[in-house]
Amino acid sequence: MRVELTRFTFFTLCVENVKSVACRRIRFPTTGGPPIHWTPLMPPRAQQPRRRIPPRTDSSRHVATEIRRYVDRKGLKPGDRIGTEQELASQFGVSRPTLREGLRLLAGNHLIRSTQGRGGGIFVASTPNEGIGRNISDSIAAMISTESVSFCELLEARIVLEVPIAGLAAAAATEDTANTLDDCIARASKAEPGDRVFNAADTSFHETLAKATGNDLLMAFMRWVLDVLQPSLIKHVGARTSKRSILAQHRAIATAVRANDVAGAELAMRKHLDYLVEVLRRYEAGAR
């Protein structure tokens, strides 16, 4: 009975250490003999922690693309609920880690947002065009904060963008568009450059022109002008601009738009932006 019990103990130890222990000397005792002796050739290896295998990038991007297509196909708008992680992983046939990586890509482009708790899940944050606008705005804001781009360079880029927009707006303008531009000018006339009312009216004027083109992509590209450049310019040179000059330039643009005068609207916008460049250069020269 003693031998059998000792052998059982030996085999149990061998099974438990089969990958790390080799028996160099084994001596089975006879009945009544001494206990079994065994010597390991090497110490047991420490168990290595299991590595997490990251999801494949191509799979995550594929999931992100499919979710965007799903949102477009369903006509979902910002604020609409897409589903939970579990529901989406099941629907698209992917693992939760792969899904999360795809959601991270979408969230990085400001297209979705996640909430926790009761009633939580994945929601549409913005349309693809709005997401593009946010990405451009964030990038340019970072460039301004690190002084890797000058305001004159940004105004030059704005001229390339907004002069053609004024022409397209004039070509497609309706009576409502012209009336909205006139209303923006009227509101600005009751305030002073640099204050909240004037700034809001000025931003609304340029936003109305971009919307009048009917081109959502151009509207997305204009977001950095409205969200980043305008506030920064107002902070630096808003009080140094002439109210009379700004209003006169806006009236010239609005008049050309109402008349569907493409060339006239482009010329008026170019003069308006050239004036801002001149004011900015005078300010920078005086600051030196």
Side-chain angles (χ1 to χ4, degrees):
M1 181 65 180
R2 181 176 178 182
V3 175
E4 293 299 323
L5 180 61
T6 309
R7 288 179 178 174
F8 173 78
T9 304
F10 164 75
F11 285 116
T12 301
L13 290 172
C14 281
V15 169
E16 292 176 349
N17 298 276
V18 66
K19 291 185 178 180
S20 59
V21 176
C23 294
R24 189 170 61 187
R25 180 168 60 87
I26 304 171
R27 179 164 58 83
F28 288 96
T30 59
T31 304
I36 293 175
H37 296 281
W38 59 276
T39 305
L41 291 176
M42 61 184 69
R45 292 180 299 176
Q47 185 176 1
Q48 297 296 322
R50 182 178 296 178
R51 292 191 304 169
R52 177 182 175 273
I53 301 176
R56 290 175 53 184
T57 303
D58 55 349
S59 298
S60 303
R61 292 187 182 279
H62 177 71
V63 171
T65 300
E66 288 303 309
I67 293 175
R68 289 182 61 173
R69 289 174 178 170
Y70 173 81
V71 170
D72 290 339
R73 188 167 60 251
K74 294 292 185 180
L76 300 181
K77 304 297 182 184
D80 290 345
R81 189 172 184 271
I82 304 174
T84 64
E85 280 191 6
Q86 183 177 357
E87 291 168 348
L88 294 177
S90 176
Q91 180 175 347
F92 293 103
V94 295
S95 65
R96 294 282 281 274
T98 298
L99 175 71
R100 286 178 185 142
E101 182 65 16
L103 294 176
R104 187 189 66 79
L105 295 174
L106 294 173
N109 289 321
H110 307 288
L111 297 177
I112 61 117
R113 59 180 176 84
S114 301
T115 60
Q116 304 295 325
R118 187 175 181 180
I122 314 301
F123 295 83
V124 178
S126 60
T127 64
N129 287 337
E130 290 171 344
I132 292 172
R134 288 279 301 278
N135 282 336
I136 296 174
S137 295
D138 290 348
S139 298
I140 292 181
M143 293 171 70
I144 291 175
S145 65
T146 57
E147 298 182 351
S148 57
V149 65
S150 69
F151 285 118
C152 280
E153 289 173 321
L154 291 174
L155 277 174
E156 288 172 356
R158 181 178 177 181
I159 289 171
V160 172
L161 176 64
E162 203 166 1
V163 168
I165 283 178
L168 291 172
T174 63
E175 188 72 17
D176 288 342
T177 301
N179 291 338
T180 301
L181 293 175
D182 289 342
D183 179 67
C184 293
I185 295 170
R187 285 189 284 127
S189 66
K190 299 175 183 178
E192 295 297 324
D195 69 21
R196 184 180 59 82
V197 174
F198 190 96
N199 298 344
D202 182 57
T203 297
S204 181
F205 182 89
H206 291 276
E207 187 174 22
T208 298
L209 290 171
K211 288 181 178 178
T213 66
N215 189 316
D216 290 340
L217 195 57
L218 283 177
M219 186 64 215
F221 289 151
M222 271 294 292
R223 288 258 53 100
W224 70 269
V225 175
L226 303 174
D227 297 343
V228 181
L229 181 57
Q230 282 284 80
S232 298
L233 280 177
I234 289 168
K235 180 180 178 181
H236 283 80
V237 300
R240 293 172 174 79
T241 57
S242 165
K243 175 180 176 179
R244 178 179 298 180
S245 297
I246 294 291
L247 292 179
Q249 293 157 13
H250 279 192
R251 288 192 185 100
I253 296 169
T255 299
V257 169
R258 183 178 289 277
N260 298 116
D261 180 0
V262 174
E266 290 180 346
L267 179 61
M269 179 61 77
R270 179 61 192 253
K271 289 181 178 180
H272 172 55
L273 297 178
D274 282 345
Y275 168 75
L276 295 179
V277 172
E278 179 186 348
V279 171
L280 180 63
R281 285 176 176 166
R282 285 203 306 265
Y283 165 74
E284 291 181 341
R288 293 193 185 102

